[in-house]
Amino acid sequence: MRVIKSIKEMQNLANEAKKAGKRISFVPTMGALHKGHLELISEGRKRGDLLVVSIFVNPTQFGPNEDFNRYPRDIEGDLKKAREMGVDVVFTPTIEEMYPEGFQTYVEVSKLQNHLCGIFRHGHFRGVATVVLKLFNIVKPDVAIFGEKDYQQLKIIQRMVKDLNLEIEIVGFPIVREEDGLACSSRNSYLSHEDKECASTIYRALQEMKIEFERGQLSAREITEKGKRILKRAGIEEIDYIEVCDPETLESKQKATRGDIVAVAARIKGVRLIDNIKL
Ligand code: AMP
């Protein structure tokens, strides 16, 4: 496995792989790799000849009061896991090379970014779309894998690829969960054992909301009120949103239909967790 820091070196390697007729698959991450990341990597392994994983905690997608500084970092552990997964290249650029002095070009996916997390995390998706486009231009993948846990992110990347005519296949990968249902996330490491138990209520609430829909409840308000009650009963009071939304536009719905997404963002002891389920 090669570990590459330099952008030019990564681009040269990608160019050579392409010349040799290799298909490049790509899994972008912010590191602190967990079971969810590893399943994406395993999917990437199946879909390409040269598998590249990037590890970059991207400062431009964090707000000034967010957790950029304390975001979990474990490069040695990550490299070990990547090696075991059969990754060919780990790309870990520096902030200085990704955002040199004078950097001023950003990508905005203007409508999709104005829903759900976009309302609570100003500038977050502009940072995400920008870094992903940069990574695409450096790694030059044929296919890239993104998790459905970050559903809005996946939709934004798909839209960007379509709107900007990038020749990259975007694959959405189902949410990977702990045994108790909690969606795997690097941020789970901020939580104590008890907090994690409490956090698993988020998935239970999503399941209960889906059951409510299956029983014939179509009112998004009734469905989400049920979810809120479940979260509150478990002591989860800080709910950024619970919404039934259109799976493509992410617009909030009043009447639920099959295929809609129920999305939740809630804070447990200040740790912001997101999850979703398809109706
Ligand atoms: P991150 O390191 O959090 O930026 O995530 C890197 C990629 O892994 C993104 O495409 C995420 O959507 C995906 N991912 C993170 N957690 C999960 C999960 N529990 N299940 C599936 N994909 C995930």
Side-chain angles (χ1 to χ4, degrees), residues 94-119:
T94 62
I95 293 176
E96 293 71 26
E97 212 192 350
M98 286 294 271
Y99 299 108
E101 217 182 296
F103 184 92
Q104 54 191 281
T105 307
Y106 291 88
V107 183
E108 294 207 24
V109 180
S110 57
K111 284 191 192 149
L112 283 172
Q113 70 178 3
N114 292 334
H115 303 282
L116 305 173
C117 288
I119 295 168

Side-chain angles (χ1 to χ4, degrees), residues 133-237:
L133 181 58
K134 282 173 69 71
L135 290 169
F136 283 173
N137 283 328
I138 297 165
V139 173
K140 307 172 194 265
D142 297 281
V143 55
I145 329 285
F146 289 84
E148 287 176 0
K149 187 184 83 96
D150 302 276
Y151 189 82
Q152 186 171 17
Q153 169 173 285
L154 170 64
K155 287 292 134 183
I156 283 174
I157 301 303
Q158 283 174 334
R159 189 75 238 176
M160 174 183 80
V161 162
K162 196 168 182 186
D163 288 353
L164 299 184
N165 309 98
L166 307 182
E167 291 185 300
I168 303 171
E169 182 191 352
I170 302 299
V171 174
F173 193 85
I175 302 174
V176 180
R177 300 180 179 283
E178 304 291 353
E179 267 167 31
D180 63 4
L182 174 63
C184 299
S185 162
S186 302
R187 289 193 170 95
N188 292 352
S189 68
Y190 296 142
L191 299 173
S192 69
H193 183 69
E194 291 82 61
D195 295 338
K196 274 190 199 155
E197 262 179 38
C198 172
S200 69
T201 312
I202 295 173
Y203 183 51
R204 273 207 293 113
L206 285 168
Q207 285 175 307
E208 290 295 329
M209 287 188 276
K210 184 171 167 125
I211 290 170
E212 200 65 10
F213 170 75
E214 300 285 358
R215 284 194 188 125
Q217 179 60 265
L218 301 182
S219 156
R221 202 187 140 80
E222 292 295 328
I223 293 171
T224 53
E225 282 302 323
K226 180 167 181 99
K228 275 184 204 160
R229 280 198 300 276
I230 294 170
L231 293 181
K232 290 199 169 147
R233 224 180 295 137
I236 303 174
E237 299 280 346

Side-chain angles (χ1 to χ4, degrees), residues 13 34 39 137 151 160 176 226 238 245 260 277:
L13 187 132
H34 54 65
E39 293 208 19
N137 283 328
Y151 189 82
M160 174 183 80
V176 180
K226 180 167 181 99
E238 292 179 89
C245 59
D260 285 350
I277 201 166

